[in-house]
Amino acid sequence: MTASLEALRRCHFAVDLGAARTRVYVKGDGLVVDQPSAAAVNTRTGALIAVGEFAEQMTGRTPHYIRVVRPVSGGTVVDIEMAQRMLRHLLGDKVRRTLRRKPRLRAAACTPHDSDPLAQRATIETLVGLGARRVELVDTLIAAAVGSGLPVEQPEATMVLVCGAAATQVAVLSLGSIVTAKRVPVGGEAVDQAIVQHLRHAHELMLPSQSVRPLQLALSGNGLNEHGPASTEIHGRDVATGLARSVRVDTAAVRDAIQTPLTAILDGIGKVLRDCPPDLVADLVDRGIVMVGGSALLPGLDEMLRQATGMPVHIAERPDICAVQGLGAMLEGRIQPLELNPLGP
């Protein structure tokens, strides 16, 4: 579901509620919030202790009565009340006061491709609870393509790959609409989980919750290729004894462990290309695929896709914030629809 450009120009702020991070764009002020989608709650009193970056740091380090919750899962709001509380604290009093002064406050929000009506309703109710009188929904694929600078409104093919934490979305766009798209329930979290399972089974090592991303970065800039370091040292907890232990991990084995989730992404790209009209596929041979989303920065992922598809693969300039920047461009009126002159009788 994608709102019209005219309706989006009347919106005052835009929200990208992601499984990993929440971003808010305020018209005229730009990006005002870019924080993890996490909140720490005291289960005894129900009080909110921390949100965003501080709550993320508390993960796995809290006493039993403090719980770190994530009100957004897979791009869908699963706890409306907690999402509203988290957003209120992330925005802060000053921004909320500014927004409350707007007559008939309007908001825009990203929704994953093919999200069901219940998921869309949850997003709308979350923003209505913040004072929005009307909420416009925009497909994440279109917002990300606009934010990465692709000529979405032109009659030519553009292919965008949104690599999120919980899912990967791939689509071919033309004339401002999605021609064909696929949502694969595999994202950065699945890659993290594959590495955690490999270390548990092969080395009997449990990783701290914060250290999976550093392990991926330890694969170096070549990441998924064979040209990186042969091994890297990892610190964790022994499964049997519970004591701290360090192991030398073979990076080739790590690459093998994450092939399963990455293969699912390749299958999704293949299905989209098979369903796409031949004329648009011909456009893509030269233009290639543009990667956006936080997981697009996984070292070597672009090179792997380049080898598997035989197409050029580019990473957007700021892949992590492309979706919210695209929403912001629509709010500010920087995107002009293609003018079609209807033929007379």
Side-chain angles (χ1 to χ4, degrees):
M1 180 178 182
T2 297
S4 68
L5 285 173
E6 190 59 41
L8 288 168
R9 286 194 192 102
R10 292 197 291 267
C11 292
H12 301 99
F13 72 105
V15 178
D16 178 16
L17 279 167
R21 297 184 78 84
T22 293
R23 299 176 176 94
V24 180
Y25 186 104
V26 175
K27 193 173 185 175
D29 293 332
L31 189 63
V32 296
V33 173
D34 183 4
Q35 294 278 343
S37 303
V41 183
N42 186 325
T43 56
R44 292 173 178 170
T45 64
L48 200 61
I49 296 173
V51 295
E53 207 78 57
F54 190 33
E56 181 86 352
Q57 294 171 5
M58 293 168 69
T59 304
R61 294 180 167 87
T62 60
H64 69 278
Y65 61 90
I66 295 177
R67 191 162 57 97
V68 177
V69 297
R70 295 185 176 275
V72 184
S73 176
T76 301
V77 178
V78 293
D79 187 338
I80 295 174
E81 182 188 354
M82 186 55 66
Q84 290 173 350
R85 294 174 70 185
M86 180 185 76
L87 276 170
R88 284 194 198 101
H89 282 80
L90 288 176
L91 284 170
D93 293 337
K94 183 180 178 182
V95 175
R96 281 193 291 132
R97 277 197 301 270
T98 304
L99 292 175
R100 276 201 296 265
R101 294 194 196 104
K102 307 286 185 186
R104 292 193 60 81
L105 183 65
R106 290 170 177 253
C110 285
T111 55
H113 181 67
D114 281 347
S115 58
D116 58 73
L118 282 176
Q120 294 176 5
R121 189 71 207 162
T123 302
I124 292 171
E125 287 189 16
T126 300
L127 297 184
V128 166
L130 291 177
R133 301 288 295 275
R134 184 177 176 86
V135 179
E136 306 289 351
L137 299 181
V138 180
D139 196 303
T140 302
L141 289 162
I142 292 179
V146 170
S148 59
L150 291 173
V152 178
E153 297 295 331
Q154 299 302 313
E156 52 192 35
T158 53
M159 190 170 190
V160 62
L161 183 72
V162 181
C163 306
T168 299
Q169 304 170 71
V170 56
V172 174
L173 309 168
S174 181
L175 284 173
S177 298
I178 295 173
V179 178
T180 177
K182 174 77 174 170
R183 186 166 181 258
V184 183
V186 171
E189 291 176 355
V191 175
D192 290 348
Q193 193 59 32
I195 296 175
V196 168
Q197 291 298 324
H198 166 72
L199 291 174
R200 188 181 181 94
H201 293 145
H203 300 279
E204 296 184 345
L205 193 75
M206 287 181 67
L207 284 182
S209 59
Q210 308 287 336
S211 59
V212 175
R213 287 291 169 181
L215 173 58
Q216 291 176 356
L217 296 176
L219 298 175
S220 88
N222 295 314
L224 308 176
N225 301 334
E226 295 81 14
H227 308 298
S231 63
T232 184
E233 190 171 13
I234 301 298
H235 306 284
R237 190 179 75 183
D238 191 282
V239 172
T241 65
L243 299 176
R245 184 162 65 92
S246 298
V247 295
R248 201 85 189 157
V249 178
D250 183 12
T251 53
V254 174
R255 285 194 294 271
D256 290 340
I258 61 179
Q259 283 305 312
T260 301
L262 296 178
T263 302
I265 296 174
L266 286 175
D267 291 344
I269 294 173
K271 186 178 187 309
V272 167
L273 290 173
R274 285 193 299 273
D275 294 344
C276 189
D279 290 346
L280 293 181
V281 175
D283 290 347
L284 295 173
V285 171
D286 297 324
R287 179 162 294 156
I289 305 170
V290 175
M291 296 173 61
V292 300
S295 297
L297 298 171
L298 180 65
L301 178 57
D302 55 333
E303 181 61 34
M304 192 200 84
L305 294 177
R306 202 173 288 122
Q307 292 174 358
T309 62
M311 296 165 59
V313 178
H314 314 283
I315 300 177
E317 187 176 344
R318 286 291 308 275
D320 50 339
I321 61 171
C322 275
V324 74
Q325 292 284 31
L327 282 177
M330 296 180 203
L331 262 62
E332 305 280 6
R334 294 198 295 268
I335 306 300
Q336 298 298 325
L338 182 68
E339 292 293 336
L340 297 176
N341 297 318
L343 298 175

